[in-house]
Amino acid sequence: MDVISVIRAKRDRARLSDEQIDWVVDAYTRGAVADEQMSALAMAILLNGMDRAEIARWTAAMIASGERMDFSALDRPTADKHSTGGVGDKITLPLAPLVAACGAAVPQLSGRGLGHTGGTLDKLESIPGWRAALSNTEMLDVLRGTGAVICAAGDGLAPADRKLYALRDVTGTVESIPLIASSIMSKKIAEGTGSLVLDVKVGSGAFMKTLEDARELAATMVGLGTDHGVRTVALLTDMSVPLGLTAGNALEVRESVEVLAGGGPADVVDLTLALARDMLDAAGLPDADPAKALADGSAMDVWRRMIRAQGGDPDAPLPIAAERHVVPAPATGVLTALDAYAVGVAAWRLGAGRARKEDAVQAGAGVEIHAKPGAPVRAGEPLLTLHTDTPERFAYALEALEGAVTVAPEGTDFTPGPIVLDRIA
Ligand code: URA
């Protein structure tokens, strides 16, 4: 087997054989296929696609590249959720402790920012002392002790995805249904969760821009999960507008804590509760009441224990960026659009995301949103505040925001659409 013939086959729109897939995933994991060769193959897959059987085999090869975890010794059912990635998508932060407070165990293996979308680990690392890397034993201890753990997948879990995910981030090969489905599902199946709720984002700020592509991605992932014995459900949710009022690491942690304290923006609360209900249902706890667990502080208690168990101080002040720049509303009227992709790219350029896989992110960088579509705005009043430690980035971030905002005349009747667009089980 040689890698060039595998690349050529996919470049020329052929189906990859089981043997080719098993070999190339294994050889890349071992370092026998170079990053530039895997980049070329990833681009060929992005451009020419894979059929369902190829995706299933690619996923199985990624699972087989490492170990599988087993939570069957826990005395609670396990439930996990995974988002395909969005702008301002901080939902995992309030959701994991909330579902744990309702009786499930939530082993949440999370990732770092990918492209213009933020990563849960990058967000949590803005909490002083918090540690993403846990051994399997430590992970199990936190899960047993608090009911929820959010951490990086260990080196042994789907190592093929770990390498490929970082490579795709910097080679323009993220937005591919086969690569996204296999990346997410290999980690979730290897992790050993009993049930899984997928949050498949749709819209400008998502990797899937149309409902049709999002449905295809959701159905592919639900099929992969079900075939491996994981109860899997997908919600298709709107990502044409950023979620909540913040995009950026520490900014999003602050907003998540507001939700756990019983406040926070309505869209974040609504989506957190919708996903919690499906997770609890899939875990066999349909009578649990997540709204009550948010209101009575029990989800906040789990959050505080979970952050402490991973070395973090839930009471420590969060980092604040050194510099701010206010973007005013361009006109008076009703805000009818705030483009999620533009806000995501702006946050990324301000330092919340990375341009090269070895880059560090800025904890305080990002975009604060003062009005969401449907709200009245006045010309010249603050619409967004940009945060960064490196003010030379402001001009580049402002460029990303050109054309991102639409204001309709005063009195325009505009109601934002629902956050949950569809459900695939
Ligand atoms: N999340 C993942 O884990 N992988 C992807 O490819 C995209 C989002």
Side-chain angles (χ1 to χ4, degrees), residues 1 65 76 91 100 106 124 140 202 376 397 414:
M1 200 72 76
S65 72
R76 301 163 167 224
I91 300 290
V106 188
L124 284 167
L140 214 58
V202 193
F414 177 82

Side-chain angles (χ1 to χ4, degrees), residues 323-347:
E323 304 284 340
R324 291 170 189 220
H325 178 93
V326 173
V327 179
T332 295
V334 179
L335 186 66
T336 54
L338 176 61
D339 185 68
Y341 180 69
V343 173
V345 173

Side-chain angles (χ1 to χ4, degrees), residues 82-85 114 161 165 168 174 179-180 183-184 187 207:
H82 195 89
S83 158
T84 55
L114 193 60
D161 179 62
Y165 187 96
R168 287 167 53 219
V174 172
L179 294 177
I180 295 175
S183 164
I184 292 176
K187 285 177 290 211
F207 296 127

Side-chain angles (χ1 to χ4, degrees), residues 51 94 103 172 176 260 319 345:
D51 67 22
S176 149
L260 287 160
V345 173

Side-chain angles (χ1 to χ4, degrees), residues 81 90-99 101-102 197 199 235 237 243 259-260 262-282 285-286 288-296 298-299 419-420 423:
K81 109 55 203 182
K90 70 272 303 168
I91 300 290
T92 293
L93 276 57
L95 181 66
L98 172 60
V99 172
C102 293
V197 176
D199 181 1
L235 297 188
T237 70
L243 254 177
V259 171
L260 287 160
D267 58 346
V268 179
V269 176
D270 290 352
L271 184 54
T272 303
L273 289 174
L275 289 163
R277 288 192 191 101
D278 258 312
M279 284 172 77
L280 291 162
D281 220 29
L285 299 165
D289 183 355
K292 180 168 170 290
L294 261 193
D296 69 12
S298 48
I419 185 100
V420 177
R423 183 173 182 282

